[in-house]
Amino acid sequence: MQWNVKYDCCFLCNLFLLGSLTLFIKCCLFNYFAFNSIFISSFYFDPLSFWAFYLPKISISLFIALVIFIFRKKSLFIVLLLLSDAWCIANLCYYRSCGFLIDVYALSMVNNMDGFWTSSFYLLEIKDLYFLFANVPYVLMSILYDLNKDFYFTKNIRILVFCMILFAISHIISMFCLADITLRDKSLLFNKYYDLFHDRENPKLLDYFYVNPFSRTNREVLFWDASDFSYQVKKLSILHSPGIIFSDYYYMNNDKYTINQDDIDIIDNYINVGDMTPSFDSKLILILLESFENWVLTPDIMPNLYNFISNNPHILYSTKISSQIAQGSSSDGQLIINTGLLPIKSGATVFRYPLNRFPNFASLAKGKSAVVLPHDTKVWNQTMMSPAYGYDTTFVCDIEDEKVFEKTIECIYGDFQVVQVLTISSHAPFDDGAKKSKYKTDVDLPFYMYKYIKCFNYTDECLSLILNKITSDSVFNSATVLITGDHTILTPDKREEFKDCCKKNNLSYRVEEDYCPLIIYSPSISSKKIINEKCYQMDIFPTLLSILNCKNYYWKGFGRNLNDDILQDVDINELRTLSDKIIRSDYFSSTH
């Protein structure tokens, strides 16, 4: 075939533009699926927001599409398109699961997925195929032409330079648009930056303006908080996230914090004065049920636990425990309940700070303590975190809840005074527990909801092994038993779907309420107390200290004692910031 420079230049440009458009469409699709934002109407009402939204996505698409000119291999760019599909879909699944995008901290926890990869597949949706369909025009066009040819050097360079200039212009304008959007509300910026931005003749202005979105310093100004990875991606694009992850790698292991005197003055409000070393003699069982939400605690789904609460006077039952986990998911639930601290802002505490010293219940016990796990100890770094929480021994059981509770009973009859038990049969996608449940209903429930209900029906049947011991055995009757969930699990769209189903079938399940239950049994609770107002996971630690008669422990915890008649409001965001400082500085190692 005759070599036609003019024809091939045009075709190469067309491939470049089509490739850029394909990537741009993927960016927009991701934002719509993840954040439900597309900003089309803002073109008329708020042009600045419109361009601030679209230009970063245009610029990164142009930049990646430059590989068409640089390498001139159609197969390479198709591979890049498929990789972008995989990255977008993986982030969507992760976001649907826990409300976070995949960042450097999530990648550092990838080994945590061993044995749990199947739990991610249920998060896939049919609409995710749109990412693959977006590739079709480029693939069809590239089939018509072979880029594996020599190309006239001067012509190639001219087009490449032109495209790079186009990328640079769109990128710089997008960063300035984002800057101006930020400046609309002075209160959202540090004052020192606000004054600087308005001094247009300041020669240092460009040092702070957001020409490089991967600079952590610039991102702290532009996004107010560089740890808010999802917000950064929402404002830039999903294709920016690998660059941000790479730039954050250094900070992941260099993020220690030095406590100052102002911090200490605030922390002192949560510290008991003096060298307090309380202890307790009674048995303590901490049961953390996987993904346990309060709406399934009904007579038909969980009859054993429901009747136990109804018929026993020595019960504290809080119906609305708000989950406070962050990126550490189940491990954050353990952290909050065992230590009274809140999770760090970025990543999981159990992977980033396992060598810290943590306050805990187990260290107050006079006897030995154990953790009963339904999975390998490398999951959520239990190998290091169980000792960090004061537990002497770790037992790994079968994943079935029945086996886990049988081992718990064995430990309590043995030499162990404190036992923490974790379950896994109700882990998404709710297959293990559902297969073993005998629950049946004539109501046409959504399949996902039906499996979730069956899981907790099975868990309740297994839990009866412990509950029956409490009512009939003196060893268990004198123990303190805590039952709660490590976190909630249903996404807002699922709640809405299940709520509509309940309304249609006249079911009383309060599925729209995003709460875990808290049930504490103890002989020291003289009369039943049911709390229907909103409480928090951090309230569990001080409440249990009170029930164990260890209120003078040096660390009070951030939460409120639910035994008190008056529950005062707290500033959750302030406490999260303070707890982040305490953990990142390893505060308790240097002070207690």
Side-chain angles (χ1 to χ4, degrees), residues 67 111 113 236 258 266 301 388 459 497 506 554:
V67 300
N111 289 334
M113 290 298 294
L236 293 172
T258 302
I266 299 175
I301 300 175
T459 296
E497 177 189 352
N506 198 27
Y554 74 89

Side-chain angles (χ1 to χ4, degrees), residues 194-235:
Y194 182 82
D195 294 334
L196 176 65
F197 289 147
H198 280 79
D199 183 5
R200 298 295 182 181
E201 296 181 359
N202 193 316
K204 294 184 178 181
L205 183 61
L206 288 177
D207 292 338
Y208 293 92
F209 254 123
Y210 320 111
V211 175
N212 179 12
F214 304 128
S215 164
R216 192 174 179 93
T217 302
N218 290 346
R219 292 196 340 258
E220 285 176 353
V221 183
L222 177 58
F223 302 111
W224 314 300
D225 183 355
S227 66
D228 194 348
F229 185 82
S230 297
Y231 185 77
Q232 298 168 31
V233 172
K234 181 179 180 181
K235 289 296 185 182

Side-chain angles (χ1 to χ4, degrees), residues 139-152:
V139 172
L140 291 177
M141 189 172 185
S142 63
I143 291 174
L144 301 176
Y145 186 72
D146 184 6
L147 295 180
N148 290 307
K149 294 180 178 180
D150 293 331
F151 194 63
Y152 280 60

Side-chain angles (χ1 to χ4, degrees), residues 73-346:
K73 291 184 180 293
K74 60 182 180 182
S75 57
L76 176 60
F77 193 72
I78 291 174
V79 169
L80 288 177
L81 290 177
L82 294 176
L83 287 175
S84 69
D85 294 336
W87 183 245
C88 289
I89 293 172
N91 272 274
L92 281 175
C93 289
Y94 193 68
Y95 191 76
R96 290 163 185 161
S97 174
C98 58
F100 295 94
L101 297 179
I102 299 174
D103 60 5
V104 66
Y105 305 108
L107 291 176
S108 70
M109 298 185 286
V110 67
N111 289 334
N112 199 54
M113 290 298 294
D114 287 351
F116 293 93
W117 286 106
T118 55
S119 65
S120 302
F121 297 147
Y122 83 100
L123 296 165
L124 293 170
E125 298 182 8
I126 295 296
K127 62 184 180 182
D128 296 341
L129 293 175
Y130 288 146
F131 289 103
L132 294 173
F133 292 151
N135 300 328
V136 172
Y138 180 86
V139 172
L140 291 177
M141 189 172 185
S142 63
I143 291 174
L144 301 176
Y145 186 72
D146 184 6
L147 295 180
N148 290 307
K149 294 180 178 180
D150 293 331
F151 194 63
Y152 280 60
F153 180 77
T154 54
K155 182 68 71 173
N156 193 23
I157 287 296
R158 290 174 188 174
I159 299 175
L160 181 61
V161 170
F162 172 77
C163 293
M164 292 184 69
I165 292 174
L166 186 64
F167 152 71
I169 292 174
S170 62
H171 174 73
I172 294 174
I173 293 177
S174 67
M175 294 299 104
F176 273 78
C177 285
L178 283 170
D180 286 337
I181 291 292
T182 304
L183 289 171
R184 289 180 178 181
D185 188 348
K186 178 178 177 179
S187 64
L188 296 177
L189 283 169
F190 304 106
N191 289 334
K192 61 180 179 180
Y193 293 120
Y194 182 82
D195 294 334
L196 176 65
F197 289 147
H198 280 79
D199 183 5
R200 298 295 182 181
E201 296 181 359
N202 193 316
K204 294 184 178 181
L205 183 61
L206 288 177
D207 292 338
Y208 293 92
F209 254 123
Y210 320 111
V211 175
N212 179 12
F214 304 128
S215 164
R216 192 174 179 93
T217 302
N218 290 346
R219 292 196 340 258
E220 285 176 353
V221 183
L222 177 58
F223 302 111
W224 314 300
D225 183 355
S227 66
D228 194 348
F229 185 82
S230 297
Y231 185 77
Q232 298 168 31
V233 172
K234 181 179 180 181
K235 289 296 185 182
L236 293 172
S237 80
I238 186 60
L239 298 182
H240 281 84
S241 60
I244 299 176
I245 289 172
F246 182 79
S247 68
D248 279 344
Y249 179 76
Y250 169 80
Y251 296 95
M252 181 174 66
N253 298 315
N254 295 273
D255 201 23
K256 293 289 185 180
Y257 180 79
T258 302
I259 289 287
N260 57 45
Q261 188 58 48
D262 291 338
D263 296 327
I264 294 175
D265 292 340
I266 299 175
I267 295 172
D268 282 345
N269 295 323
Y270 305 96
I271 301 290
N272 277 316
V273 179
D275 183 17
M276 303 298 182
T277 56
S279 61
F280 61 92
D281 299 309
S282 62
K283 299 274 188 176
L284 172 63
I285 308 174
L286 305 174
I287 302 175
L288 278 65
L289 303 181
E290 173 66 33
S291 307
F292 185 22
E293 298 196 2
N294 187 67
W295 66 270
V296 293
L297 215 173
T298 64
D300 59 319
I301 300 175
M302 303 186 72
N304 294 297
L305 184 55
Y306 183 87
N307 291 331
F308 178 77
I309 296 171
S310 301
N311 301 327
N312 200 305
H314 306 294
I315 292 289
L316 184 151
Y317 174 33
S318 176
T319 63
K320 296 181 179 179
I321 294 292
S322 181
S323 176
Q324 295 177 283
I325 64 167
Q327 205 165 355
S329 191
S330 294
S331 68
D332 285 344
Q334 283 183 261
L335 170 77
I336 300 168
I337 293 166
N338 278 277
T339 71
L341 294 167
L342 294 174
I344 55 177
K345 292 181 178 181
S346 300

